[in-house]
Amino acid sequence: MTHATHLQPSQDDWILKVDNLKQHFPIRRGVFQRVVGHVHAVDGVSFSVRRGETLGLVGESGCGKTTTGRSILQLYKPTDGHVYFNGQDLTRLPRPEMRKLRSKIQMIFQDPYSSLDPRMTIEEIIAEGLPAKGYASRADNRERVKDLMKLVNLSPNYIDRYAHEFSGGQRQRIGVARALAVKPELIICDEPISALDVSVQAQVVNLLMDLQKDLGLTYLFIAHDLSMVRHISDRVAVMYLGLIVELASSKVLYEKPMHPYTQVLMSAVPVPDPVVEKSRKRIILEGDVPSPVNQPGGCYFHPRCPMAKPICAQKRPDWREIEHDHWVACHFA
Amino acid sequence: MNPTQQKLLEVNNLSVSFSTYEGVVHAVNNISFDLKNGESIAIVGESGCGKSASMFAIMGLHNRAITRITADSILFDGRDLRRASENEMNNIRGKDIAMIFQDPMTSFNPVLSIRTQICEALKLHFRMNRKQAEERALELLSLVGIPDPKSRLDDYPHQFSGGMRQRAMIAMALACDPKILIADEPTTALDVTIQAQIMDLVKELQQKLHMSIIWITHDLGVVANIAERVNVMYGGYIVENGRAEDVFHNPQHPYTIGLLGSLPGIKGREGQRLYSIEGIPPVLYQPAAICPFAPRCEYRTERCLQENPPLISRNGTAEHHAACWVELRQQQGATV
């Protein structure tokens, strides 16, 4: 398992390009199941991921970050837009070819308790994807599973156990091993640590970072925990109500957030230091996130925005690059 | 903080154990803490460390059939709650000591309107009639910042958003002007912007209504924001306590140091490995004979494997204690 070349994210080697991706879900009512509206879960997002980097995708619940991840994998058929993986448009790919390509894009899920089949042994769980990759014999597979377990710091002695015998952190390692089994290039991590205890979160995050270094993986890291996302990501995209409102390197985003929503998010995260907390001024946002069924006109954020002007209610701001690698959708950025 | 402040709640040597199929689990072991008038303290720890179990014991909410609670005393306003009859407890619960919970969806009754649920306590504790109770309920809902309370009063819990539901639960808890509010991870299920709203609301209400608050949480960021004093729990023991500044800036127990170090910190340090505590928290089938943290501890000595350390005063103050045999100096990982 040692193609140990640490890939520095190169400037223009894009592994994934998402272009104006939309994912609308119909709402059906009545006897005839007529479509009475749509949930605009993802409403036109565009971003790219460089080979070897980690792109963080943050936002509050219901903002469409998980749907974005799943639409990239074509688990839903996107309503509109394109997803290019290594230059290939996944939305146009026939099913059998998409099936083959799935080994290149894997996913790690949020809940390590419901994402592992309770009736399968660890060997069966991790090896399930292997035949598709041409690992023929059982003995071969078993060796490979043991290697994978070592890779994620699990003792290979546990190979015949069942998922319920493990703690949350260990289960998440099993999920990582399962994803790695088919040698993916891109891993979509959907809130991989939010169900874990604080002291165990750090273990899993360290593991993910080590694996990235050793195997040259690319991550799309979906989470709501801003400080952890900043820690692990090279660049971070902030989502609000189905749209990306800002995208920048994590350093820039945290030091110089341009979008009012990003600023609010940053200031809402409590800092583990009582002295800092006492002196800090926080922007408290009024109200709740509007419904993704009937979004507000203009800028989706304007009803809650502390700096909204009349134009914000009329015109949806363009998604533009204000500095190299710093994208914002706000009239006043 | 005024040193002459009166102690409102004083818990001495509280232990809680549960009978389970796998044996007796010692969830809380000889913990002592106090809460002064108008103060807010925090109890921090990971899941299963006994923080909620100890609060449930104080409130008398455990299932008596499988729970064994022992304590030297649990003094509330000078009265020993251990000796209170079920009737007396019913008077205290919800009236003098109120509690808000982590998940506002499951803590409300889904088939009763918000009106019914808030008015229930008012009618019960204050013998209010329908009209008085309704007026008070409206007052409470506007107090917690629910817009247009009149039209929301007859809504059901599922018609509220997560943040609004938590506000409604706070309104219900405040219905009888409690002296103590126990907040059991009230913001864990909420998004950060809503969490900020709720924390601000509770702090504001505390000022307005002169309550004392016990926050139970696993989130050190939340603790830093709200608590004056902190108790850190691990494996059913309080392993460190002290003023928030002392615990955060000069943590004395290796577990506290590890917890603080495992947070990514808001500035700097990106790209570096996080400090991680290897292993997982224990489940105690017996009271620990050795230090419960010793198996995961990197400062472990011979003595740690022989005796469980009591809380020992640190830095020569009567306010900062840590249950550790090793005297730690100003540590790395302590700076966030």
Side-chain angles (χ1 to χ4, degrees):
Chain A
M1 291 300 301
T2 47
H3 25 204
T5 43
H6 177 35
L7 293 175
Q8 275 301 328
S10 66
Q11 276 302 310
D12 290 310
D13 188 6
W14 305 106
I15 186 169
L16 181 76
K17 270 193 173 183
V18 176
D19 180 23
N20 196 27
L21 182 71
K22 288 187 184 168
Q23 186 74 60
H24 299 169
F25 298 107
I27 307 169
R28 293 173 195 279
R29 289 272 158 75
V31 190
F32 300 108
Q33 292 291 293
R34 268 190 320 132
V35 175
V36 294
H38 284 90
V39 177
H40 304 93
V42 178
D43 210 18
V45 304
S46 305
F47 62 90
S48 308
V49 187
R50 295 192 178 103
R51 196 177 302 281
E53 82 166 345
T54 301
L55 179 75
L57 196 56
V58 295
E60 299 181 89
S61 48
C63 73
K65 50 193 194 301
T66 296
T67 308
T68 304
R70 292 179 171 226
S71 301
I72 288 169
L73 258 175
Q74 307 297 307
L75 294 178
Y76 308 125
K77 181 116 195 71
T79 312
D80 195 12
H82 302 277
V83 176
Y84 299 96
F85 177 73
N86 283 335
Q88 216 170 1
D89 188 353
L90 301 186
T91 57
R92 297 278 165 82
L93 222 52
R95 277 185 94 122
E97 284 176 48
M98 185 59 224
R99 210 182 130 87
K100 268 185 223 150
L101 237 159
R102 283 236 170 79
S103 70
K104 297 280 169 225
I105 315 176
Q106 284 290 305
M107 197 153 178
I108 303 170
F109 297 92
Q110 171 170 14
D111 183 356
Y113 292 87
S114 62
S115 58
L116 303 178
D117 189 329
R119 290 175 298 185
M120 289 166 88
T121 63
I122 300 315
E123 178 178 13
E124 287 165 335
I125 289 172
I126 297 177
E128 203 180 8
L130 286 180
K133 286 287 286 178
Y135 285 86
S137 84
R138 221 194 123 158
D140 272 3
N141 276 356
R142 201 171 162 86
E143 277 316 301
R144 171 111 178 99
V145 169
K146 282 185 178 167
D147 284 345
L148 285 161
M149 290 179 75
K150 276 183 224 152
L151 195 66
V152 298
N153 304 333
L154 277 176
S155 162
N157 298 334
Y158 296 155
I159 191 164
D160 292 318
R161 297 208 186 174
Y162 290 87
H164 73 264
E165 296 173 71
F166 294 88
S167 69
Q170 287 173 315
R171 280 159 185 255
Q172 206 51 298
R173 289 169 198 274
I174 296 168
V176 174
R178 171 175 65 181
L180 290 176
V182 290
K183 294 198 173 154
E185 291 172 27
L186 172 69
I187 298 185
I188 298 175
C189 309
D190 188 4
E191 304 246 14
I193 51 166
S194 54
L196 305 175
D197 265 326
V198 191
S199 72
V200 180
Q201 284 187 354
Q203 295 172 9
V204 174
V205 164
N206 283 342
L207 171 71
L208 286 172
M209 291 175 83
D210 289 347
L211 288 171
Q212 178 169 46
K213 225 181 260 175
D214 294 344
L215 307 177
L217 297 167
T218 307
Y219 293 140
L220 179 64
F221 193 89
I222 302 169
H224 66 270
D225 180 342
L226 282 143
S227 36
M228 206 51 107
V229 167
R230 176 203 152 95
H231 178 81
I232 195 170
S233 306
D234 300 294
R235 294 186 304 145
V236 178
V238 181
M239 276 189 88
Y240 183 78
L241 211 57
L243 291 175
I244 296 183
V245 295
E246 185 161 6
L247 194 162
S249 74
S250 46
K251 196 165 151 45
V252 170
L253 193 80
Y254 283 74
E255 277 165 12
K256 219 173 59 176
M258 296 301 286
H259 196 283
Y261 180 64
T262 317
Q263 293 167 359
V264 166
L265 268 190
M266 300 293 165
S267 92
V269 181
V271 181
D273 184 327
V275 176
V276 176
E277 275 293 321
K278 256 175 212 144
S279 58
R280 213 158 64 106
K281 258 232 137 351
R282 283 200 291 171
I283 321 168
I284 303 281
L285 211 53
E286 298 289 316
D288 287 308
V289 183
S291 139
V293 179
N294 300 304
Q295 296 105 320
C299 171
Y300 288 178
F301 187 55
H302 85 265
R304 303 174 79 196
C305 182
M307 323 177 186
K309 300 261 166 29
I311 186 180
C312 303
Q314 290 150 14
K315 194 165 166 280
R316 185 153 144 186
D318 296 325
W319 178 233
R320 59 204 170 89
E321 192 170 20
I322 54 161
E323 273 169 43
H324 176 63
D325 236 6
H326 191 168
W327 295 74
V328 189
C330 176
H331 292 301
F332 301 101
Chain B
M1 199 170 57
N2 181 353
T4 58
Q5 266 174 329
Q6 193 194 338
K7 282 180 187 169
L8 190 57
L9 182 72
E10 198 177 349
V11 175
N12 287 311
N13 282 328
L14 172 70
S15 298
V16 180
S17 56
F18 303 111
S19 313
T20 68
Y21 288 117
E22 277 132 61
V24 178
V25 175
H26 294 259
V28 180
N29 301 291
N30 291 321
I31 67 164
S32 303
F33 63 91
D34 57 59
L35 174 70
K36 300 190 180 77
N37 245 329
E39 187 188 32
S40 54
I41 64 167
I43 299 183
V44 205
E46 298 177 275
S47 44
C49 74
K51 53 194 193 302
S52 294
S54 53
M55 290 304 122
F56 274 54
I58 293 167
M59 294 281 274
L61 292 174
H62 283 302
N63 178 352
R64 297 235 170 124
I66 56 159
T67 319
R68 206 178 116 80
I69 299 170
T70 59
D72 289 350
S73 63
I74 303 175
L75 295 174
F76 167 70
D77 229 357
R79 287 159 69 189
D80 197 336
L81 295 186
R82 285 175 317 143
R83 301 217 174 77
S85 68
E86 193 56 36
N87 261 337
E88 286 172 302
M89 273 317 285
N90 277 340
N91 269 326
I92 291 170
R93 256 196 305 256
K95 184 157 174 265
D96 292 323
I97 309 179
M99 198 159 175
I100 51 178
F101 300 91
Q102 172 168 1
D103 185 351
M105 191 65 224
T106 54
S107 335
F108 275 115
N109 185 335
V111 299
L112 297 177
S113 68
I114 296 292
R115 175 204 298 267
T116 318
Q117 300 193 49
I118 296 181
C119 291
E120 184 187 11
L122 291 167
K123 288 177 184 164
L124 204 75
H125 287 300
F126 292 136
R127 312 238 167 266
M128 283 186 180
N129 63 31
R130 224 184 70 185
K131 197 141 192 278
Q132 290 167 320
E134 184 183 318
E135 264 167 37
R136 174 80 178 132
L138 280 176
E139 200 182 300
L140 286 162
L141 287 182
S142 42
L143 183 73
V144 296
I146 290 180
D148 195 10
K150 211 164 197 144
S151 69
R152 302 306 304 260
L153 203 52
D154 285 310
D155 280 357
Y156 288 86
H158 74 267
Q159 291 169 293
F160 281 65
S161 68
M164 283 299 147
R165 224 178 278 137
Q166 196 57 279
R167 282 171 194 268
M169 184 146 78
I170 293 170
M172 196 159 85
L174 297 181
C176 302
D177 275 326
K179 296 193 176 108
I180 299 177
L181 180 68
I182 300 177
D184 189 354
E185 306 237 19
T187 60
T188 306
L190 306 175
D191 281 316
V192 277
T193 58
I194 309 293
Q195 167 173 296
Q197 288 175 5
I198 297 290
M199 288 195 316
D200 259 43
L201 173 71
V202 174
K203 279 203 287 193
E204 187 195 312
L205 291 172
Q206 181 185 21
Q207 295 282 319
K208 235 188 239 173
L209 309 173
H210 310 291
M211 286 183 295
S212 307
I213 296 186
I214 304 177
W215 281 87
I216 302 174
T217 180
H218 67 271
D219 187 332
L220 289 160
V222 171
V223 175
N225 181 279
I226 42 145
E228 293 160 46
R229 286 189 298 140
V230 182
N231 296 285
V232 182
M233 283 191 78
Y234 184 81
Y237 291 85
I238 290 181
V239 294
E240 179 159 3
N241 64 22
R243 296 189 313 129
E245 289 85 5
D246 293 337
V247 172
F248 277 88
H249 291 168
N250 187 14
Q252 289 294 316
H253 195 281
Y255 176 62
T256 319
I257 294 170
L259 270 189
L260 285 167
S262 66
L263 297 175
I266 200 73
K267 38 172 116 64
R269 293 224 308 231
E270 69 250 56
Q272 290 176 35
R273 286 175 65 86
L274 293 170
Y275 179 84
S276 77
I277 310 173
E278 291 308 319
I280 55 165
V283 178
L284 294 175
Y285 290 110
Q286 290 147 29
I290 63 166
C291 171
F293 188 63
R296 300 174 77 188
C297 183
E298 59 177 86
Y299 303 97
R300 183 178 53 220
T301 63
E302 270 305 300
R303 193 169 181 195
C304 306
L305 298 170
Q306 287 156 1
E307 287 176 85
N308 187 6
L311 281 166
I312 305 165
S313 167
R314 293 295 148 116
N315 305 319
T317 70
E319 279 174 340
H320 194 180
H321 301 83
C324 182
W325 293 122
V326 185
E327 278 278 349
L328 297 163
R329 304 270 166 258
Q330 288 276 347
Q331 282 299 332
Q332 72 283 7
T335 48
V336 178

